[in-house]
Amino acid sequence: MDVIKGNQADGNQLDAKQIDELIRNNVVLTTTDKLLGWFRSRSIFTVTFGLACCAIEMLNTSSAKFDFARFGYEVFRGSPRQADLMIVAGTITKKMQPLIARLYEQMAEPKWVMCMGSCAISGGPFTDSYNVVPGADTFLPVDVYVPGCPPRPEALIYGFLTLREKIWHPNKITGNVARLRDIGKAY
Ligand code: SF4
């Protein structure tokens, strides 16, 4: 069997350095995990679901003005079974809490949760109310917090880009959290 060495066709042989460069420019090596992370981080499907005023800003984010489609995130799914992201947008009342938890359970794995607005993060202006849950993290594993009352669409887009980093480079995020903990200990 003939072995092709460099660009034999025109009679010239490539040296080792040129072959190295050729391989570097033309061969991509990665792991399946990294590849899946790349796919997932660029095709996040959000479940269509809103609780209060923040949800209006969330819907606005997918309007033509903000061009959410450039990131591949404009598809809001009608069923939790086809979604991998839940945006908790609005005040969580105790009456709604079990229904939100059920929606989350119905979502496909792997799945992520984003808290949008101060109500979802901590109860917001209603945190002292008898019927308001003081934050989604009391019953859901929250990945990204987007503060504001309400946060603007640009802030939600930034939240999506943060989530994209978290999905694509989970170790990097873990490292950042550990670093923040160390900084916190120093004070
Ligand atoms: S954070 Fe503000 S805008 Fe969002 S749901 Fe609460 S009160 Fe409404």
Side-chain angles (χ1 to χ4, degrees), residues 51-55 57 89-92 116-121 123-126 146-151:
L51 293 166
C53 8
C54 275
E57 290 295 315
T91 324
I92 307 165
M116 181 181 182
S118 54
C119 281
I121 293 171
F126 315 109
V146 182
C149 180

